Amino acid sequence: MTTPEDSSLRKTPDQLRSHRWFGPDDLRSFGHRSRVKQMGFAAEDYENKPIIGILNTWNDLNTCHTHFRDRANEIKRGVWQQGGFPVEIPVMSLSEPFMKPTTMFYRSLLAMEAEETIRCYPLDGVVLMGGCDKTTPALIMGATELDVPAIYFPAGPMLKGNYKGITLGSGSDSWKYWDERRAGNLTKKEWFGVEDSIARSPGHCMTMGTASTMTAVAETLGLTLPGASSIPAVHSEHARMATRTGRRIVDMVWHDIKPSSILSQPAFENAITADMAIGGSTNAIVHILAMAHRAGVDLTLDHFDAISRKTPFIANIRPSGKYLMEDFYDAGGLRAVLKNIASLLHLDAPTVNGHTLGQNIESAETFDTDIVRPLNNPLSPEGGTFVLRGNLAPDGCVIKVIAAEKHLLQHTGPAIVFKDYNDLAARIDDPDLPVTPESVIVLQNAGPLGAPGMPEWGMLPIPKKILEQGHRDMVRISDARMSGTSYGSCILHVSPESWVGGPLALVQTGDTITLDAPNRSLQLNVSDVELAQRKTNWSPPNPRFTRGYGKLFSEQTTQAHLGCDFKLLHRGESSGEAEIH
Ligand code: FES
């Protein structure tokens, strides 16, 4: 591993990638240099210095990244301090609260944009500024492909919500109080009170949702400075971390520390282990698979299940635990978790600061053992997510068992089938719906191609009449994803999806379904002969898109168990930088 101390391995200025733009004594380089001077910079400001691209996913509708313009300036400060030349480059922002049909529809577009932005500009290294759910995997996927030195800077979680002294968690408490309102237990005034109080600072969701999970994954992979992912967005340490990140990327360029030297099979196994230990979002599975495939690492759902079986869940954070990310940071944060599970990690995995993961967590401490549990007092002896298989999901599906009611984890019940989201919305609260608490709610056509984009619809609503009976969980099955802030006995990512004729498309109301989570099984209790007959009667739906990005998405997106990446962006299909002049 190259460290900042290995000065003999330091690049010379003419080995910088940007030298191709600025170094030669020719007409094109004249143009490049004169245009930097147009911005008011003199030669001594940029000449022979690493050009650092700061890929900023700020926009006015990404409320999780409100502070990113300030942080970009703080990153620039660090770049200048270390002798680099910073350039801020806005890239597409994937805003979870606002984008339709779902940010997942655009993850590959941001990944492509990041890759091509790095490719086309004179950048020697990049700082990737993300946080809101899909921004993290998308930026990493893009940077991995081009393999210039890259460091990830996470947005950090927002402050805890608070309504009349009651702590509120992003997402989780929206679902919870909405159910109470539908059940008639919450007034409109109280509902608006929750609305005013649940998101009260910049930063991403402060539960252990997809954003907190994916930034923790990025840190465990070795792509951030140690401790970066747990710092609340508005904490002054977050600004200081930004400046340190700016300083570090300059050294990474000189010592050529690239994603390919970080993103190994052991690094991904570490990331999965951390994901299980923190009770991470089920979405992380799809993203980790996609990132690994970009890095040339061969991961499958079986890796997740194997690691889940041996990794205790020890971070007591909502929605599966009690606390929120601000508490987690004060309790020691991700470094404390990693220290506690050190025996399960590949400690020699390299990271962006030039030290190993083991070295980075050596001094970590836990300040509250109810929030970051020791291994001998876990919240659950196994990881948060199980991978299930069976005739309903031959290529697998997942369930977040730690967020489900335990009595439902082994359950047989009759299916109530909805053919798509609109059907669900129209009928779920119908007083005549033949539903009981034992029913299994099934949603079809909500997968990667069917929805499209595999939206976070997987926490299917409990019918109003069941809520009114006092029940708050039922077995629910779909090929959709679920927000990391969601909870319940929701079986997700069923693969292959119903839109392409997977067995989920063949389920009919009244069929019985058996969930056996401890034995990792999901079974539709219909004979093979009957299923084959239903399949012959099934016909593929008409294509949703005939042009544009939607058509590209439909033609290229893989199924959930493969990561939902574009086929043409898989490793080995790269156009190669060397061919472009
Ligand atoms: Fe941005 Fe949850 S909405 S992280």
Side-chain angles (χ1 to χ4, degrees), residues 180-199:
E180 294 310 320
R181 186 160 178 221
R182 290 171 66 222
N185 299 330
L186 196 75
T187 65
K188 194 169 180 181
K189 188 168 174 226
E190 289 168 325
W191 175 244
F192 285 152
V194 171
E195 181 179 301
D196 285 342
S197 316
I198 199 165

Side-chain angles (χ1 to χ4, degrees), residues 62 64 96-97 131-133 204-205 211:
N62 195 333
C64 300
E96 205 61 35
C132 191
D133 289 23
H204 61 65
C205 292

Side-chain angles (χ1 to χ4, degrees), residues 266-387:
F268 278 100
E269 289 174 5
N270 284 343
I272 298 170
T273 304
D275 175 29
M276 296 301 166
I278 60 178
S281 161
T282 45
N283 288 325
I285 296 178
V286 179
H287 300 321
I288 291 173
L289 285 167
M291 292 191 299
H293 295 160
R294 292 289 185 101
V297 170
D298 188 22
L299 278 191
T300 68
L301 284 178
D302 294 335
H303 287 94
F304 288 84
D305 199 53
I307 291 173
S308 171
R309 286 173 193 263
K310 63 182 185 189
T311 307
F313 164 42
I314 62 167
N316 196 1
I317 315 294
R318 297 188 201 181
S320 308
K322 179 175 168 190
Y323 300 96
L324 291 169
M325 288 300 288
E326 198 179 324
D327 309 307
F328 183 56
Y329 174 69
D330 290 337
L334 181 70
R335 288 178 71 241
V337 168
L338 297 179
K339 177 98 184 257
N340 289 1
I341 58 167
S343 59
L344 301 170
L345 297 171
H346 303 283
L347 296 175
D348 54 354
T351 75
V352 287
N353 74 345
H355 300 295
T356 64
L357 184 68
Q359 289 168 327
N360 286 342
I361 61 175
E362 226 164 50
S363 62
E365 291 181 75
T366 299
F367 305 110
D368 187 325
T369 54
D370 190 39
I371 301 175
V372 177
R373 299 285 187 91
L375 275 190
N376 61 9
N377 184 30
L379 292 132
S380 159
E382 289 186 289
T385 307
F386 288 4
V387 175

Side-chain angles (χ1 to χ4, degrees), residues 391 503 506-507 524 526-536:
N391 67 347
L506 310 178
V507 185
L524 176 63
V526 173
S527 72
D528 291 347
V529 174
E530 169 67 15
L531 284 178
Q533 182 58 46
R534 289 184 192 180
K535 186 69 190 271
T536 59

Side-chain angles (χ1 to χ4, degrees), residues 371-419:
I371 301 175
V372 177
R373 299 285 187 91
L375 275 190
N376 61 9
N377 184 30
L379 292 132
S380 159
E382 289 186 289
T385 307
F386 288 4
V387 175
L388 313 175
R389 292 184 197 274
N391 67 347
L392 196 46
D395 290 331
C397 59
V398 304
I399 180 170
K400 190 171 182 178
V401 286
I402 53 174
E405 286 192 9
K406 300 292 166 273
H407 73 279
L408 291 172
L409 292 177
Q410 286 181 300
H411 176 86
T412 297
I416 304 253
V417 180
F418 297 92
K419 67 178 172 16

